[in-house]
Amino acid sequence: MASAFLLSLLLLVICSHGGIAQANEAAAGHKESRYVVVPKAAFQSSEESCSTSRVSSPQSGRVSVPLAHRYGPCAPLQTKDELSLAQRLHRDRVRTKYITRRMSRSTRRQSSDASTVSVPTRLGSSYDSQKYLVTVGLGTPAVPQTLVLTTESDLSWVQCKPCNSSNCYPQKLPPFDPSRSSTYTAIPCDSQECRDLAAGIGGNGCTSNWECGFYIYYGSGANTTGVYSSDALTLGPGAVVENFHFGCGHDQEGPFGNEGKYDGVLALGRLPESLVGQTLAEHGGAFSLCLPPTGDSTGFLAFGAPENTSDFVFTPLLTMDDQPWFYQLMLTGISVGGQRLDIPAAVFREGMILASSTTITALQDTAYAALRTAFRSAMAEYPLAPPTAQLDTCYNLTGYNNVTVPTVSLTFRGGATVDLDASSGLLLDGCLAFWNTDGDEYTGLIGSLNQRTIEVLYDLPASRVGFRTGAC
Ligand SMILES: *[C@@H]1O[C@H](CO)[C@@H](O)[C@H](O)[C@H]1NC(C)=O
Ligand SMILES: *[C@@H]1O[C@H](CO)[C@@H](O)[C@H](O)[C@H]1NC(C)=O
Ligand SMILES: *[C@@H]1O[C@H](CO)[C@@H](O)[C@H](O)[C@H]1NC(C)=O
Ligand SMILES: *[C@@H]1O[C@H](CO)[C@@H](O)[C@H](O)[C@H]1NC(C)=O
Ligand SMILES: *[C@@H]1O[C@H](CO)[C@@H](O)[C@H](O)[C@H]1NC(C)=O
């Protein structure tokens, strides 16, 4: 009797599960989808060669640059990651804490009164975990430069000659040589541009040649210093930013070396010194990033806002007084398998930084605990595996051909709801790619993994951020 009851209960569970999977197929793409069946192979891209069929681009009419994961076969520089997953996660966590701790005591308001923000004196981001690369042209004639992309800082820079081996980390191609560019100029120390740099981020006085000095310090301990400069930046055919201001780095110190090989950093933060701020006239202060699902595919960086935004959902962009360079959003809810988690609204009050160079999403402790419980319950049929570094919800998927994962959605202020991509945007090496902030009083951070395949539109003039799923 008891065993018959158990059997029918079991059948009921199996049947309802099958029912969900079918409903899910029928309602594909709808917010009501609760579970997605993912072939396990989709979690493990072969990563052997760059698949040109998986190159994505934004809607036509926009200038765009392909974007690749730093270590995948589509990366413009073929380098190996010398760090283990645990080491990378450790760095990611240190970086997250560094960013979110500094944020927590700030007061926030809508960016509409951004004209009154107090300007910080230093860039506050670590270098270690920056993950995506773009190749652009610098100078005349244009020399290809492979740069690490970041939305978390504002002043772009490249390694420049003269730069001897004790002052520059090794890179694949020779450092940029200003003397070979007909359009290069060092910005003079007595210029308005230099005064602006000194009043904001990255100023470093005058060099011995009366040129404008810059200095950037990253949370990891790395730093770069050199001459604030101007030259032509080529983003794509016919898309040249004349007089692009950047740092010509003559002295890079600290932990750049092991992960080096790239030529510098392309900064897309919110301050006027960033590429976004410098191309207001051409691109109106809007750009999109679509981070590719795997290393063997490419995403895109696109400039300007798309003409048709009907496929996007939008949420307001927030600004902090003390760190106005970060893009910040207000998360209001999380759903797992279609069920909204019961998390008090106050838990989210410190907001979330939208990050592109940090991998794992950090949620306030109460929110993370609720997510973990719901996710584990939805994945109860799969055996848990030991934690990987600080990721504590890991699965041993050996022997499964398909994995049925619950849809995880994030809802932001205004009701914008975004389904994370089940095969690339949820799990890292079999582990739920979220962790806690170590306190509800801290700001959270939306990591790059959750953003995979989603076009994220940063629309500064409209003070909003848009999301379009399935975009790359
Ligand atoms: C490299 O630069 C440092 C600092 O400017 C200088 O002291 C050193 O002599 C230089 N080395 C070479 C080989 O030029
Ligand atoms: C730059 O970094 C190096 C290595 O971490 C450190 O020794 C040096 O003092 C730093 N320079 C400045 C100006 O902060
Ligand atoms: C915008 O895109 C949507 C969906 O792709 C389409 O249905 C709509 O007609 C487009 N609107 C315009 C004005 O082109
Ligand atoms: C995963 O499961 C397989 C088969 O059940 C087992 O052989 C293997 O040891 C497990 N791996 C870990 C890391 O637990
Ligand atoms: C896995 O999914 C594929 C299609 O997505 C299906 O053809 C196959 O039968 C499934 N395998 C199992 C074991 O469920």
Side-chain angles (χ1 to χ4, degrees):
M1 191 63 188
S3 63
F5 173 74
L6 274 181
L7 185 64
S8 59
L9 194 66
L10 192 64
L11 281 173
L12 188 70
V13 168
I14 291 169
C15 291
S16 64
H17 214 252
I20 289 168
Q22 275 165 21
N24 173 44
E25 273 173 45
H30 284 222
K31 292 291 180 291
E32 295 75 30
S33 334
R34 309 210 306 154
Y35 286 81
V36 181
V37 178
V38 180
K40 202 181 73 188
F43 290 126
Q44 310 155 319
S45 78
S46 66
E47 309 269 321
E48 270 160 17
S49 59
C50 183
S51 153
T52 47
S53 62
R54 301 183 65 183
V55 171
S56 324
S57 36
Q59 296 105 318
S60 58
R62 297 163 81 196
V63 172
S64 75
V65 185
L67 183 148
H69 193 279
R70 188 197 290 172
Y71 298 114
C74 290
L77 302 173
Q78 289 302 304
T79 56
K80 283 240 157 41
D81 192 352
E82 285 148 10
L83 301 177
S84 68
L85 178 61
Q87 285 172 314
R88 279 185 284 142
L89 287 170
H90 178 70
R91 289 194 180 193
D92 216 54
R93 189 152 178 94
V94 168
R95 170 180 163 75
T96 298
K97 287 197 171 183
Y98 180 78
I99 296 174
T100 58
R101 291 300 180 275
R102 286 192 55 194
M103 300 278 304
S104 58
R105 258 161 258 106
S106 60
T107 51
R108 287 173 200 81
R109 53 188 160 59
Q110 300 289 332
S111 57
S112 47
D113 34 302
S115 54
T116 60
V117 295
S118 62
V119 182
T121 53
R122 277 189 168 183
L123 290 179
S125 74
S126 147
Y127 203 84
D128 292 325
S129 319
Q130 304 185 350
K131 291 290 193 308
Y132 291 92
L133 298 175
V134 291
T135 299
V136 293
L138 189 63
T140 308
V143 178
Q145 298 284 299
T146 294
L147 306 179
V148 176
L149 184 119
T150 179
T151 54
E152 287 111 286
S153 63
D154 300 274
L155 183 57
S156 303
W157 59 271
V158 300
Q159 294 205 113
C160 280
K161 286 184 177 175
C163 195
N164 68 30
S165 59
S166 58
N167 308 50
C168 274
Y169 59 77
Q171 60 176 69
K172 193 157 180 181
L173 298 170
F176 182 70
D177 187 351
S179 71
R180 295 197 164 184
S181 171
S182 63
T183 41
Y184 175 87
T185 50
I187 292 172
C189 207
D190 56 0
S191 62
Q192 187 59 44
E193 289 99 322
C194 195
R195 280 190 289 273
D196 289 345
L197 188 73
I201 47 157
N204 195 25
C206 296
T207 70
S208 53
N209 300 332
W210 205 244
E211 294 164 347
C212 183
F214 84 94
Y215 169 71
I216 303 174
Y217 166 81
Y218 293 96
S220 61
N223 55 62
T224 169
T225 178
V227 176
Y228 194 38
S229 304
S230 166
D231 207 337
L233 177 74
T234 303
L235 298 173
V240 179
V241 182
E242 312 283 354
N243 305 318
F244 175 64
H245 290 16
F246 65 99
C248 222
H250 296 297
D251 191 359
Q252 286 63 247
E253 288 183 54
F256 289 115
N258 290 341
E259 294 194 60
K261 307 290 198 288
Y262 42 80
D263 306 318
V265 167
L266 189 67
L268 295 165
R270 297 174 72 170
L271 300 187
E273 287 78 11
S274 89
L275 176 59
V276 187
Q278 291 189 47
T279 55
L280 280 178
E282 297 93 327
H283 303 303
F287 68 97
S288 292
L289 278 179
C290 196
L291 306 181
T294 56
D296 61 1
S297 54
T298 60
F300 57 83
L301 160 64
F303 296 93
E307 274 178 25
N308 185 346
T309 54
S310 65
D311 290 343
F312 287 81
V313 292
F314 287 98
T315 186
L317 185 57
L318 311 179
T319 302
M320 284 72 60
D321 286 335
D322 68 341
Q323 291 192 305
W325 54 79
F326 284 131
Y327 298 96
Q328 200 200 20
L329 310 176
M330 191 57 76
L331 185 65
T332 56
I334 303 173
S335 299
V336 174
Q339 303 290 319
R340 182 76 168 248
L341 305 182
D342 184 16
I343 303 169
V347 168
F348 296 119
R349 68 185 179 277
E350 295 297 332
M352 302 288 288
I353 296 163
L354 185 54
S356 63
S357 9
T358 308
T359 308
I360 305 297
T361 292
L363 292 174
Q364 289 78 14
D365 291 12
T366 304
Y368 177 66
L371 171 67
R372 179 178 60 188
T373 302
F375 191 80
R376 285 187 175 193
S377 146
M379 294 279 286
E381 66 183 289
Y382 302 105
L384 280 166
T388 300
Q390 289 92 350
L391 297 179
D392 66 4
T393 298
C394 302
Y395 294 90
N396 180 352
L397 301 174
T398 310
Y400 293 91
N401 290 323
N402 295 329
V403 182
T404 303
V405 295
T407 301
V408 175
S409 340
L410 304 180
T411 300
F412 296 96
R413 177 175 288 173
T417 296
V418 184
D419 288 353
L420 306 181
D421 182 62
S423 30
S424 69
L426 206 48
L427 298 173
L428 176 65
D429 216 38
C431 302
L432 181 64
F434 288 81
W435 50 32
N436 66 359
T437 52
D438 266 346
D440 284 355
E441 68 273 34
Y442 297 117
T443 300
L445 178 146
I446 300 173
S448 60
L449 191 129
N450 283 172
Q451 297 172 48
R452 289 180 180 177
T453 74
I454 300 169
E455 178 176 356
V456 181
L457 170 61
Y458 298 74
D459 188 348
L460 274 75
S463 276
R464 61 181 189 169
V465 170
F467 298 94
R468 180 169 72 95
T469 53
C472 66

